[in-house]
Amino acid sequence: MFRNFKMVPCVVFGRGSFNQLDDILAEKRKGSNSWLVFLVDDVFKESALRDRIPAKSSDLFLWVNVDDEPKTIYVDDLTNQVKAFTKGSMDRLPGGVIGIGGGSTMDLAKAVALMLKNPGSSADYQGWDLIENPAVYHVGVPTLSGTGGEVSRTTVLTGPEKKLGINSDYTVFDQLVLDPELLAGAPQDQRFYTGMDCYIHCVESLTGTYLNTFSQSYGEKALDLCREVFLDKGPDSDDKLMMASYFGGMSIAYSQVGACHALSYGLSFVLGLHHGIGNCIAFDHLEEFYPQGVAEFRKMMEKHDIRLPRNIVAGVESHKLEKMIDVSLILEPLWDNALGPDWKSIMTRDKIRELYQKM
Amino acid sequence: MFRNFKMVPCVVFGRGSFNQLDDILAEKRKGSNSWLVFLVDDVFKESALRDRIPAKSSDLFLWVNVDDEPKTIYVDDLTNQVKAFTKGSMDRLPGGVIGIGGGSTMDLAKAVALMLKNPGSSADYQGWDLIENPAVYHVGVPTLSGTGGEVSRTTVLTGPEKKLGINSDYTVFDQLVLDPELLAGAPQDQRFYTGMDCYIHCVESLTGTYLNTFSQSYGEKALDLCREVFLDKGPDSDDKLMMASYFGGMSIAYSQVGACHALSYGLSFVLGLHHGIGNCIAFDHLEEFYPQGVAEFRKMMEKHDIRLPRNIVAGVESHKLEKMIDVSLILEPLWDNALGPDWKSIMTRDKIRELYQKM
């Protein structure tokens, strides 16, 4: 049984394509649900981009803060703010939700679009295919590339018990605006960590047990593009990074991430580390599982003068370390993909503890 | 202004995925428009595939013949057969049209799905964005790979005056079932000519003036996959050819085909040549424009022991040769992409005539 993969159905790509956002949204401003919600990363508060966002006075414009990774309580809070704007009438739900920012903002936009149409807390839907109703129309406008979140069927959230995505066909964006010019302002280290998310999940998917030719074709090209961006750094580097992220996300269709992502989720949950840097910290200790990938990753770090934080787990209290292991072990499909059906005999609690203690 | 590219929104890929077609269609059998139309290449009349097609007694099953390339009158005839089955009630239109076959059958399925919802003859819609109403839900199940027609926004038809596609966002399939096992039975020369359609349009798009990084990423990987299939011929050759075709089609999003396709359309219109072989015949004489591509193409021909027909234009009457040139010159975006805005000074009628006379 192969997944019937749900794609983002409409994509515009090109330098300056952000200027087309207003035209694209015009269709959604017709009819009774004629207002829109903009969720925009608050790093753009003082930027030139701010004045180019095509929000109207009838729209709800919300700055979002992603200093922490998206939490289910934050999603619920944002959803309530949107619902309050409708004055309690479900007939007045917005015609669309537009997310402008990095991977965390993409995830917030997806999650709010889902939760406007599904009752309860977003924490109730962390898992696979628990969403019952289609989301409000939602648009992704990435300003950082690497997570693949722009094309994925998940929105990764930190809940009270776990860090886990809302995985559903309804999570997928209805529209992407991919404008490489928007990547220009990102801090270099953040750009690197987010780009490495793409590199690492391609290594994980290409060496995994779940792969088929669809995912392999996308994954190999994403990896080639990452090499061009982070080792050669030729012209069009931002254009290529944007495509690498897109292809990397597509490569997950018939594959999975692996050991690095599983460990990184634990680091994020307990230490509040962002996903990109968490991946890098974990990957640097996974030579045993991904020897070539880790060697090339270190070359990329050297070239970009990246120094990873060290000994971040050393002082962590024992019960927190055990929680880290719990969070990591929940992610069974990731371990299965990385190590095959016998993964439990290889990746014991002791082995995970030993790996974490090196980080 | 960049095209807001419409993708096929649902894709299942994998060996044996054809068995999932019935499940995928189940949703479309609900409600009043609960019957389906199957358009199946009549080469499968005596095949094992025939019994695996999930058509029910309430469905309309039509064998289609693609010995000739799809003509507008054939599309109109098939559309009328479907309409007759509805007993004149537009409320009884089918819930879906499913095309099973090569590029020509894909094009017939797309065109019939469009024409069930749009009045007049399919010849009225040959051109760009002339379709007004969305098509009936339509599914593509390719059994030959290379044209990229499974992902494209066109259905190429031969009309009374011209060979030209119905180019529209509504042309795009709603669902693809990509099962590499279905490629196994194709005759080797047909497989080669259709595969070369992909190789050639990637060469044309990558060397064209319209390219951006989106199209380049897809085109480069499609070309790599073609090389693996036609020069190395390793394992999973059918899987790779299917992905090459898919990527090749995607690469057209922000690019165009070029000189070879423009000349090939003239050959098909006047001599009735199939698109794949027409491309090969034209490409073999375009060393001047695509030196590396043509050299590699010849290696592929040699490896697969392909002998192209020669001197096919020599005996053609003068007025037919002039018509060939007319058909080729209509395709302005192709020439513009290949040669830039000054193409008219390079690709004169005399130059085209000279090229045709070598073929």
Side-chain angles (χ1 to χ4, degrees):
Chain A
M1 186 77 178
F2 301 93
R3 175 180 295 154
N4 193 3
F5 189 58
K6 176 75 170 64
M7 318 263 180
V8 178
C10 291
V11 177
V12 56
F13 178 96
R15 290 190 165 264
S17 61
F18 185 74
N19 295 333
Q20 292 171 231
L21 181 59
D22 197 26
D23 281 347
I24 289 167
L25 297 174
E27 193 62 33
K28 299 295 157 187
R29 293 187 181 280
K30 294 176 185 164
S32 55
N33 306 45
S34 59
W35 61 287
L36 304 172
V37 178
F38 288 82
L39 298 179
V40 185
D41 189 327
D42 64 9
V43 297
F44 293 109
K45 264 189 181 170
E46 307 298 328
S47 73
L49 185 67
R50 177 185 184 148
D51 296 328
R52 294 175 60 207
I53 296 171
K56 313 245 188 273
S57 58
S58 53
D59 297 335
L60 178 60
F61 192 110
L62 296 171
W63 292 112
V64 296
N65 184 283
V66 293
D67 290 345
D68 292 332
E69 294 221 289
K71 292 192 168 65
T72 53
I73 48 166
Y74 192 35
V75 170
D76 294 347
D77 174 50
L78 289 167
T79 306
N80 286 333
Q81 287 186 57
V82 178
K83 282 185 177 166
F85 203 70
T86 68
K87 302 182 183 79
S89 161
M90 284 294 277
D91 298 338
R92 289 197 70 255
L93 281 180
V97 175
I98 298 95
I100 303 175
S104 296
T105 307
M106 294 297 99
D107 279 354
L108 287 173
K110 289 177 178 184
V112 169
L114 286 168
M115 293 313 298
L116 285 170
K117 289 287 195 83
N118 290 276
S121 163
S122 52
D124 304 337
Y125 300 98
Q126 285 180 283
W128 282 272
D129 302 306
L130 303 173
I131 290 281
E132 295 210 345
N133 304 313
V136 166
Y137 171 85
H138 49 306
V139 181
V141 186
T143 63
L144 260 178
S145 284
T147 67
E150 63 276 28
V151 293
S152 74
R153 69 191 296 277
T154 194
T155 161
V156 184
L157 301 176
T158 302
E161 293 301 325
K162 52 186 179 275
K163 180 180 171 186
L164 186 62
I166 302 181
N167 296 271
S168 160
D169 281 353
Y170 297 130
T171 308
V172 177
F173 280 116
D174 297 292
Q175 170 79 54
L176 290 179
V177 176
L178 300 177
D179 184 346
E181 285 181 359
L182 302 186
L183 304 189
Q188 284 307 301
D189 59 340
Q190 211 178 342
R191 183 179 192 272
F192 182 85
Y193 294 135
T194 310
M196 285 304 106
D197 189 9
C198 176
Y199 178 80
I200 292 169
H201 76 230
C202 287
V203 169
E204 289 175 301
S205 94
L206 290 170
T207 57
T209 60
Y210 285 12
L211 200 64
N212 72 7
T213 307
F214 184 97
S215 285
Q216 188 181 353
S217 304
Y218 274 109
E220 287 173 350
K221 187 66 189 176
L223 218 49
D224 286 348
L225 288 163
C226 283
R227 288 177 185 131
E228 291 176 38
V229 171
F230 291 105
L231 291 175
D232 308 339
K233 201 166 163 39
D236 301 331
S237 185
D238 285 339
D239 305 61
K240 286 177 180 172
L241 184 55
M242 202 157 234
M243 285 312 299
S245 179
Y246 183 93
F247 274 44
M250 293 293 289
S251 83
I252 301 300
Y254 300 103
S255 68
Q256 249 302 355
V257 286
C260 177
H261 272 70
L263 293 170
S264 163
Y265 272 44
L267 290 176
S268 291
F269 188 87
V270 173
L271 302 177
L273 279 182
H274 266 253
H275 182 63
I277 192 167
N279 274 342
C280 289
I281 291 169
F283 198 56
D284 199 36
H285 293 280
L286 293 173
E287 217 168 352
E288 174 184 354
F289 303 99
Y290 308 111
Q292 289 179 314
V294 172
E296 192 168 56
F297 162 73
R298 287 181 186 152
K299 265 189 222 156
M300 290 174 177
M301 280 210 293
E302 203 184 310
K303 179 146 181 116
H304 291 262
D305 204 17
I306 297 289
R307 266 151 237 199
L308 289 175
R310 302 276 178 200
N311 301 317
I312 56 165
V313 178
V316 169
E317 295 159 77
S318 156
H319 72 278
K320 287 192 177 168
L321 180 56
E322 295 310 307
K323 180 70 192 174
M324 229 183 253
I325 300 169
D326 293 340
V327 170
S328 180
L329 278 170
I330 294 171
L331 299 160
E332 303 205 349
L334 282 61
W335 292 116
D336 186 34
N337 177 50
L339 305 169
D342 291 336
W343 66 266
K344 284 183 187 175
S345 64
I346 306 165
M347 200 47 66
T348 59
R349 289 191 76 87
D350 286 346
K351 176 71 185 174
I352 296 184
R353 192 178 301 105
E354 185 194 309
L355 284 166
Y356 273 137
Q357 280 169 334
K358 288 190 208 158
M359 294 180 196
Chain B
M1 186 76 180
F2 302 94
R3 173 179 295 153
N4 193 5
F5 189 59
K6 175 75 171 63
M7 317 263 183
V8 178
C10 292
V11 176
V12 56
F13 178 97
R15 291 191 164 261
S17 61
F18 185 74
N19 296 332
Q20 291 171 232
L21 181 58
D22 197 26
D23 282 348
I24 289 167
L25 297 174
E27 193 61 35
K28 299 295 157 186
R29 293 185 180 282
K30 294 175 185 165
S32 56
N33 307 45
S34 59
W35 61 287
L36 304 172
V37 178
F38 288 83
L39 297 180
V40 186
D41 189 327
D42 64 9
V43 298
F44 293 110
K45 265 189 181 171
E46 307 297 328
S47 72
L49 185 68
R50 177 183 183 149
D51 297 329
R52 295 175 60 207
I53 296 171
K56 313 246 188 270
S57 58
S58 53
D59 296 334
L60 178 60
F61 191 109
L62 296 172
W63 292 110
V64 296
N65 184 281
V66 294
D67 290 345
D68 292 331
E69 294 220 288
K71 291 193 169 66
T72 54
I73 47 166
Y74 191 36
V75 169
D76 295 348
D77 174 52
L78 290 167
T79 306
N80 286 334
Q81 287 186 55
V82 177
K83 282 185 177 166
F85 203 71
T86 68
K87 301 183 184 77
S89 161
M90 285 293 278
D91 298 340
R92 290 197 68 253
L93 281 180
V97 174
I98 297 96
I100 303 175
S104 295
T105 307
M106 294 297 100
D107 279 354
L108 287 173
K110 289 176 176 185
V112 169
L114 286 167
M115 293 313 299
L116 285 169
K117 289 286 194 84
N118 290 276
S121 163
S122 51
D124 304 338
Y125 300 97
Q126 286 180 282
W128 282 272
D129 301 307
L130 303 173
I131 289 282
E132 296 210 345
N133 304 312
V136 167
Y137 171 85
H138 49 305
V139 181
V141 186
T143 63
L144 261 178
S145 285
T147 68
E150 63 276 27
V151 293
S152 74
R153 69 191 297 277
T154 193
T155 161
V156 184
L157 302 176
T158 302
E161 293 302 324
K162 51 187 179 274
K163 181 180 171 186
L164 186 61
I166 302 180
N167 295 272
S168 160
D169 281 354
Y170 298 130
T171 307
V172 177
F173 280 115
D174 297 293
Q175 170 79 53
L176 290 179
V177 176
L178 300 177
D179 184 347
E181 286 182 358
L182 302 187
L183 304 189
Q188 283 308 301
D189 58 340
Q190 211 178 342
R191 183 178 191 271
F192 181 85
Y193 293 135
T194 310
M196 283 305 104
D197 189 10
C198 176
Y199 178 79
I200 292 169
H201 76 231
C202 287
V203 169
E204 289 175 300
S205 95
L206 290 170
T207 57
T209 60
Y210 286 12
L211 200 65
N212 73 7
T213 308
F214 185 98
S215 285
Q216 189 181 354
S217 304
Y218 273 110
E220 287 172 350
K221 188 64 189 178
L223 218 50
D224 286 347
L225 288 164
C226 283
R227 288 177 185 131
E228 291 175 37
V229 171
F230 291 105
L231 291 175
D232 309 339
K233 201 168 162 40
D236 301 329
S237 185
D238 285 339
D239 305 61
K240 286 178 179 170
L241 184 55
M242 202 157 234
M243 285 312 298
S245 178
Y246 183 92
F247 274 44
M250 293 294 289
S251 84
I252 301 299
Y254 299 103
S255 69
Q256 249 303 354
V257 287
C260 177
H261 272 70
L263 294 170
S264 162
Y265 272 43
L267 290 176
S268 291
F269 188 87
V270 173
L271 302 177
L273 280 182
H274 266 253
H275 182 63
I277 191 167
N279 274 342
C280 289
I281 291 169
F283 198 56
D284 198 35
H285 293 281
L286 292 173
E287 216 168 353
E288 175 183 354
F289 302 99
Y290 307 111
Q292 289 179 315
V294 172
E296 192 168 56
F297 162 74
R298 286 180 186 154
K299 265 189 220 154
M300 291 174 176
M301 280 210 292
E302 201 184 312
K303 179 146 180 118
H304 291 262
D305 203 17
I306 297 289
R307 268 153 237 198
L308 288 176
R310 301 277 178 200
N311 301 315
I312 55 164
V313 178
V316 168
E317 295 158 78
S318 158
H319 73 278
K320 287 192 178 168
L321 179 57
E322 295 310 307
K323 180 69 192 174
M324 231 183 250
I325 300 170
D326 293 340
V327 170
S328 179
L329 279 169
I330 294 172
L331 301 159
E332 302 205 350
L334 282 61
W335 292 116
D336 185 35
N337 176 51
L339 305 170
D342 291 335
W343 67 267
K344 283 182 188 176
S345 65
I346 306 165
M347 200 47 67
T348 59
R349 289 191 78 87
D350 287 346
K351 176 70 184 174
I352 296 184
R353 192 178 302 108
E354 185 195 309
L355 284 166
Y356 272 138
Q357 280 169 335
K358 287 189 207 158
M359 294 179 195

